[in-house]
Amino acid sequence: MLDSDWEQVRDIYIEGINSGNATFEKKAPNWEEWNEGHVAQCRLVAREDGKVAGWAALSPVSNRSAYAGVAEVSIYIRQDSSGKGIGSKLLKVLIETSERNGFWTLRSGIFPENAHSIKLHTNFGFKLAGRQERIGKLNGIWRDVAILERRSEVVGVD
C-alpha cells in the first residue's frame, strides 16, 4: 500500500461502513489517524484495472510487550470487485507478511451476519474463539461480534 492509495482505500472503507455489516465505525478516519493505527509493514492493496480493488492491514491489539506479536486484521473489498477471489489473495499474502514481521496470532472481529468474511477467514485457518454478545450498538441496534483467531505455525512456536 502506498500513501497515494489512501483515497481509494478510504472509499472502500466507506463502502464497508455503509454496508452496516463491516464495522461499528460511522465515518472513515483521516490519513494521519489511519496511518498511526496500522502496522506499516503489513498493509496491502489488490489492484484491478489500475485501481484499488481491495485492501488488508494489521493493527496492533495492545502496546504491551506480551502482545507484540498479536494483531487485528482489517480486510475490505470494493463492492464491484466482490466474488473475484481478491479477499483470498489479500488474506494469503497478509498472513505471509505478518509472519515475516513476527506476528504469531491474528485476530478478526466480524459481525456474525457477515458470512462471507467468516468463511474467508476460516478458509485460512482462523478458528472461532468466541462471541461477544451485544458488545456495541450500530444505528441503535445491539450487535454481536464473532472473534476469530489464527495462530501461526512458524512464528512463536518455541
Side-chain angles (χ1 to χ4, degrees):
M1 182 183 296
L2 306 171
D3 293 358
S4 59
D5 293 324
W6 170 243
E7 188 174 319
Q8 293 180 74
V9 166
R10 185 176 184 275
D11 289 345
I12 293 168
Y13 187 59
I14 290 169
E15 283 185 357
I17 291 170
N18 291 339
S19 77
N21 270 335
T23 180
F24 279 110
E25 296 300 325
K26 301 291 277 173
K27 65 178 189 142
N30 63 39
W31 166 248
E32 291 76 20
E33 293 166 331
W34 192 91
N35 183 47
E36 186 176 305
H38 293 82
V39 178
Q41 301 82 0
C42 297
R43 304 173 183 182
L44 307 169
V45 296
R47 297 183 197 284
E48 184 178 55
D49 299 325
K51 70 178 188 177
V52 176
W55 62 271
L58 295 183
S59 303
V61 298
S62 175
N63 60 5
R64 295 175 63 191
S65 62
Y67 299 104
V70 183
E72 182 175 351
V73 173
S74 293
I75 185 165
Y76 288 81
I77 309 303
R78 185 181 298 280
Q79 288 175 353
D80 63 6
S81 295
S82 181
K84 298 179 180 179
I86 293 169
S88 292
K89 290 174 185 171
L90 279 169
L91 191 52
K92 178 183 184 296
V93 175
L94 185 65
I95 289 167
E96 293 166 354
T97 303
S98 74
E99 290 176 335
R100 281 195 307 274
N101 285 278
F103 289 94
W104 57 78
T105 298
L106 299 181
R107 289 184 182 169
S108 279
I110 305 171
F111 291 134
E113 298 83 1
N114 193 342
H116 291 293
S117 187
I118 291 173
K119 184 175 189 312
L120 171 66
H121 285 75
T122 57
N123 285 346
F124 283 89
F126 284 75
K127 296 177 182 169
L128 182 64
R131 183 176 178 129
Q132 296 174 306
E133 296 181 4
R134 298 172 45 96
I135 192 68
K137 280 187 177 181
L138 180 61
N139 300 323
I141 299 169
W142 285 105
R143 299 290 297 268
D144 295 355
V145 171
I147 303 300
L148 285 86
E149 291 185 338
R150 181 188 187 278
R151 178 71 187 208
S152 174
E153 295 179 359
V154 296
V155 178
V157 295
D158 55 340

